[in-house]
Amino acid sequence: MSREMAERLLSEFRTGPAIKGYEADNIEKLTNREREILELVSRGATNRETANALFIAENTVKNHLKNIMAKLHIQNRVQLATYVRDKGLNKA
């Protein structure tokens, strides 16, 4: 492995995937519906509970979550919950 590649890997481990890409402006990229879903997820709602609360299909919730995570540069639901907590977005 080259020195440059090793430095990149170490840099990734130092910053951690849960921190990378967290920019305040990214939240502005979310649609109103995505914000509603983010709020429900931040309260611990499952995909099914979120779908029922918003009168939409569970697959629609999954698609919105995929879009939210892409816009916020987040890889999974745990990172999403951490993002919401760190940004003080949870109102519960």
Side-chain angles (χ1 to χ4, degrees):
M1 177 182 307
S2 71
R3 180 179 177 93
E4 182 180 305
M5 183 59 82
E7 287 175 2
R8 279 186 180 175
L9 283 172
L10 287 174
S11 175
E12 287 293 317
F13 283 116
R14 273 188 235 119
T15 59
I19 297 170
K20 184 179 177 184
Y22 283 7
E23 300 173 18
D25 295 337
N26 286 348
I27 198 76
E28 300 301 321
K29 295 178 182 177
L30 301 181
T31 65
N32 289 336
R33 179 59 88 179
E34 290 169 344
R35 290 174 198 225
E36 288 175 323
I37 290 171
L38 184 60
E39 183 178 338
L40 288 167
V41 169
S42 75
R43 293 179 183 180
T46 64
N47 291 348
R48 178 168 289 169
E49 292 167 339
T50 301
N52 290 337
L54 299 176
F55 305 103
I56 58 177
E58 192 172 345
N59 280 337
T60 304
V61 172
K62 291 177 184 179
N63 286 332
H64 281 301
L65 284 170
K66 186 173 110 180
N67 293 335
I68 291 167
M69 288 189 269
K71 289 178 182 180
L72 298 177
H73 307 288
I74 292 174
Q75 298 172 357
N76 59 52
R77 204 174 180 119
V78 173
Q79 289 179 356
L80 186 60
T82 302
Y83 176 87
V84 169
R85 185 199 66 213
D86 290 350
K87 294 294 182 184
L89 302 174
N90 51 345
K91 299 175 185 177

